[in-house]
Amino acid sequence: MRMGFSLPSAAREPRHIPPRGTCDRTPRGYKVLAMSEQEHTTHGYSADKEALLKRLRRIEGQVRGVSRMVDEDNYCIDVLTQISAVNAALHKVSLALVQDHIGHCVVDAAARSAETGDATIVADKVEETAVAIGRLLR
Amino acid sequence: MRMGFSLPSAAREPRHIPPRGTCDRTPRGYKVLAMSEQEHTTHGYSADKEALLKRLRRIEGQVRGVSRMVDEDNYCIDVLTQISAVNAALHKVSLALVQDHIGHCVVDAAARSAETGDATIVADKVEETAVAIGRLLR
Amino acid sequence: MRMGFSLPSAAREPRHIPPRGTCDRTPRGYKVLAMSEQEHTTHGYSADKEALLKRLRRIEGQVRGVSRMVDEDNYCIDVLTQISAVNAALHKVSLALVQDHIGHCVVDAAARSAETGDATIVADKVEETAVAIGRLLR
Amino acid sequence: MRMGFSLPSAAREPRHIPPRGTCDRTPRGYKVLAMSEQEHTTHGYSADKEALLKRLRRIEGQVRGVSRMVDEDNYCIDVLTQISAVNAALHKVSLALVQDHIGHCVVDAAARSAETGDATIVADKVEETAVAIGRLLR
């Protein structure tokens, strides 16, 4: 799976303060900047937002299907098979988000670290990413 | 987690053909029997059906919450955290189904094997269960 | 994967105290009995013991291979690929153990519950099994 | 878990061709460079190599312990519990490798993309990383 990817503008224009889009937990403030730049920058998973939302709606429907199976007393093994399908679909969504996060937010943080000489910016981002992946592995 | 458990009637009354409820993929035929016996028999997960349905509805809501987070451009790591919560909730449902399946359908098949002397009845059930668990492990 | 399976003798000879082999955490006492009965009874995973040991030795070698890769500074992604192979091999071993456990220990407990009328024997076994599966799912 | 992290030299000295250490599948050639630079550069997981090797040796010992348990006919549930411990230990090693890989190889690729203007360098690295994480999720 190859997702749309473009180098954050900071990497191409080293003096520029990078817009962070969904790469920051407290997005207030940057939104205006992001807005004015949205023609030439891709933020986080936003490029694939529609695809992600479509997949999530399908997963929601699959969960509803599991409920219906339980309600209609379907055979337990068949219900479990359907739950495995939901797990697999969720894993795909997680993986797409992880890939987008690394490709945008981590790469963007690396550029900011390079610009500012502050290695903790990218180190913190990488650690946060590893913690999130660790939660998925469980 | 301890789920309601009662020995299938077949185990207590060895000559009786056991009703199989949701323990069989082709439920045709036994339904009439099951119906007439439903006062005194517990079939598969049906005892905990309401609890299961409640959990599944909550999971459906959690998935809808993930969609909303993506739609509102929440931070990717926060979306991943929420997906991990959905995974955990689905695992609990799977486990409850597996436990009920073993406690009812496998135990019931063991009783039928004991009655009929046909060991393949329970062996097939056990293998089918292992295959389903294997899909969950992935 | 279909593993050797035979109905525990208790299921066929209801008055007999069933040998429990590896189905019990406190094996003291039953060993003598098990010994005298070993010609006609299969205990837990013992029938497939050699196959299991062979797989485990191979996994041990795979882990040693991962150490060697790290020691020789192999590319991280290649090391991760090898670790995924170890995970998959361990999952197969777990699944074989779970299948044997259900097919022998749970089925044996069901027979003892049927004999004694004490449903808690099998209920406890089933719950313990579910807890072990839950640990594997994580 | 916070692992040692330092910005690749390329990020600090933009004109310099970055040494790639274990960040490349075909390490031939760069080795000489890496060697001459090893005083001031950290490559991939090499900083934590000793810690990784120690963990892997412990895992190898745990797998040997599982073999011994099977050989001595330990209770299946206890064997499964020990296998779950091996799984958890392997997950920790995987996660440490993933974190190091992102923090060194992906960040280094981002710097090379910034230098060269070739966005595919980091995009390829990110995709490769996501594929490896996907294998761990299964």
Side-chain angles (χ1 to χ4, degrees):
Chain A
M1 182 180 48
R2 172 73 166 275
M3 315 205 68
F5 182 87
S6 69
L7 257 195
S9 59
R12 290 187 304 259
E13 307 157 285
R15 300 283 143 248
H16 184 79
I17 293 151
R20 274 148 301 165
T22 53
C23 291
D24 222 23
R25 189 164 269 127
T26 51
R28 237 139 305 172
Y30 81 88
K31 282 246 155 155
V32 183
L33 175 65
M35 223 117 278
S36 67
E37 302 219 0
Q38 65 191 0
E39 296 87 51
H40 59 93
T41 328
T42 311
H43 309 282
Y45 53 80
S46 58
D48 301 293
K49 201 165 139 171
E50 270 321 304
L52 269 179
L53 286 173
K54 204 174 156 185
R55 283 204 215 176
L56 285 164
R57 272 190 296 268
R58 202 181 308 138
I59 291 170
E60 204 189 311
Q62 282 178 302
V63 175
R64 212 175 302 126
V66 173
S67 292
R68 201 166 33 243
M69 289 175 85
V70 168
D71 194 41
E72 294 171 357
D73 294 318
N74 275 239
Y75 183 42
C76 351
I77 295 292
D78 294 338
V79 179
L80 286 169
T81 300
Q82 188 58 19
I83 290 179
S84 298
V86 179
N87 285 336
L90 273 173
H91 275 175
K92 273 190 194 160
V93 167
S94 309
L95 204 56
L97 283 168
V98 164
Q99 180 165 350
D100 264 7
H101 178 69
I102 299 174
H104 292 277
C105 303
V106 173
V107 165
D108 178 69
R112 280 186 284 147
S113 276
E115 264 178 80
T116 60
D118 178 6
T120 62
I121 297 171
V122 67
D124 287 352
K125 218 61 170 174
V126 169
E127 194 189 345
E128 186 189 48
T129 306
V131 169
I133 294 168
R135 270 195 297 266
L136 293 175
L137 289 184
R138 239 175 292 145
Chain B
M1 178 179 49
R2 173 70 167 277
M3 314 205 68
F5 183 86
S6 69
L7 258 196
S9 58
R12 290 187 305 259
E13 307 157 287
R15 300 282 143 248
H16 183 78
I17 292 150
R20 274 149 303 165
T22 52
C23 291
D24 221 23
R25 187 164 271 126
T26 51
R28 237 139 305 173
Y30 81 89
K31 281 248 154 151
V32 182
L33 176 64
M35 220 118 283
S36 67
E37 302 220 0
Q38 63 192 0
E39 297 86 51
H40 59 92
T41 327
T42 310
H43 309 284
Y45 52 80
S46 57
D48 301 292
K49 203 165 138 171
E50 271 320 305
L52 269 179
L53 286 173
K54 204 174 157 186
R55 283 204 215 177
L56 286 165
R57 270 190 296 267
R58 203 181 307 139
I59 291 170
E60 203 189 313
Q62 283 179 301
V63 175
R64 211 174 303 126
V66 173
S67 292
R68 202 166 34 239
M69 289 175 85
V70 167
D71 194 42
E72 296 171 357
D73 295 318
N74 275 239
Y75 184 41
C76 351
I77 295 292
D78 294 338
V79 180
L80 286 169
T81 301
Q82 188 59 19
I83 290 179
S84 298
V86 179
N87 284 336
L90 272 173
H91 275 176
K92 274 190 194 160
V93 167
S94 309
L95 203 57
L97 283 167
V98 165
Q99 180 165 350
D100 265 7
H101 178 69
I102 300 173
H104 292 277
C105 304
V106 173
V107 165
D108 179 69
R112 280 186 285 146
S113 276
E115 264 178 78
T116 60
D118 178 6
T120 63
I121 297 171
V122 67
D124 288 351
K125 218 58 168 176
V126 169
E127 195 188 346
E128 185 188 49
T129 306
V131 169
I133 294 168
R135 269 196 297 266
L136 293 175
L137 288 185
R138 238 175 291 145
Chain C
M1 179 179 50
R2 171 73 166 274
M3 314 207 69
F5 182 86
S6 69
L7 256 198
S9 58
R12 290 187 305 258
E13 307 157 284
R15 301 283 142 248
H16 184 77
I17 293 152
R20 273 148 303 164
T22 51
C23 292
D24 222 22
R25 187 165 273 127
T26 52
R28 237 139 305 174
Y30 82 87
K31 283 246 155 152
V32 183
L33 176 63
M35 219 117 284
S36 67
E37 301 219 2
Q38 64 192 359
E39 297 87 51
H40 59 93
T41 329
T42 310
H43 308 283
Y45 53 79
S46 57
D48 302 293
K49 202 165 139 169
E50 271 320 305
L52 269 179
L53 286 173
K54 205 173 157 186
R55 283 205 215 176
L56 285 165
R57 272 190 295 268
R58 202 181 308 139
I59 291 170
E60 204 189 310
Q62 283 178 302
V63 175
R64 211 174 304 125
V66 172
S67 291
R68 201 165 35 240
M69 289 176 85
V70 167
D71 194 42
E72 295 171 357
D73 294 319
N74 275 240
Y75 184 41
C76 351
I77 294 292
D78 294 338
V79 180
L80 286 170
T81 301
Q82 188 59 19
I83 290 179
S84 298
V86 180
N87 285 337
L90 273 174
H91 275 175
K92 273 189 195 158
V93 168
S94 310
L95 204 56
L97 283 168
V98 164
Q99 180 165 349
D100 265 7
H101 178 68
I102 299 174
H104 292 277
C105 304
V106 173
V107 166
D108 178 69
R112 279 186 285 146
S113 276
E115 264 178 80
T116 60
D118 179 5
T120 62
I121 297 170
V122 67
D124 287 351
K125 218 59 168 175
V126 169
E127 194 188 345
E128 186 189 47
T129 306
V131 169
I133 295 168
R135 269 195 297 265
L136 293 175
L137 288 184
R138 240 175 291 145
Chain D
M1 180 180 50
R2 171 72 167 275
M3 315 207 66
F5 182 86
S6 70
L7 257 195
S9 58
R12 289 187 306 259
E13 308 157 285
R15 301 283 141 247
H16 183 77
I17 292 150
R20 273 149 301 164
T22 52
C23 291
D24 221 23
R25 187 164 274 127
T26 52
R28 236 141 305 174
Y30 81 88
K31 281 247 155 150
V32 182
L33 176 64
M35 222 117 278
S36 68
E37 302 219 2
Q38 63 192 359
E39 297 87 50
H40 58 92
T41 329
T42 311
H43 309 283
Y45 54 80
S46 57
D48 302 293
K49 202 166 139 170
E50 270 320 306
L52 269 179
L53 286 172
K54 205 173 156 186
R55 283 203 215 178
L56 285 164
R57 272 190 295 268
R58 202 180 309 139
I59 291 170
E60 204 189 311
Q62 283 178 302
V63 175
R64 211 175 304 125
V66 173
S67 292
R68 201 166 33 241
M69 289 177 85
V70 167
D71 194 42
E72 294 171 359
D73 294 319
N74 275 240
Y75 183 42
C76 351
I77 295 291
D78 294 337
V79 180
L80 286 169
T81 301
Q82 187 58 19
I83 291 179
S84 298
V86 179
N87 285 336
L90 273 174
H91 275 176
K92 274 190 194 159
V93 167
S94 310
L95 204 56
L97 283 167
V98 165
Q99 180 164 350
D100 264 7
H101 178 69
I102 299 173
H104 292 277
C105 304
V106 173
V107 165
D108 179 68
R112 279 185 285 147
S113 276
E115 264 177 80
T116 60
D118 179 4
T120 63
I121 297 171
V122 67
D124 288 351
K125 218 61 169 173
V126 169
E127 195 189 344
E128 187 189 48
T129 306
V131 169
I133 295 168
R135 270 195 297 265
L136 293 175
L137 288 185
R138 239 177 292 145

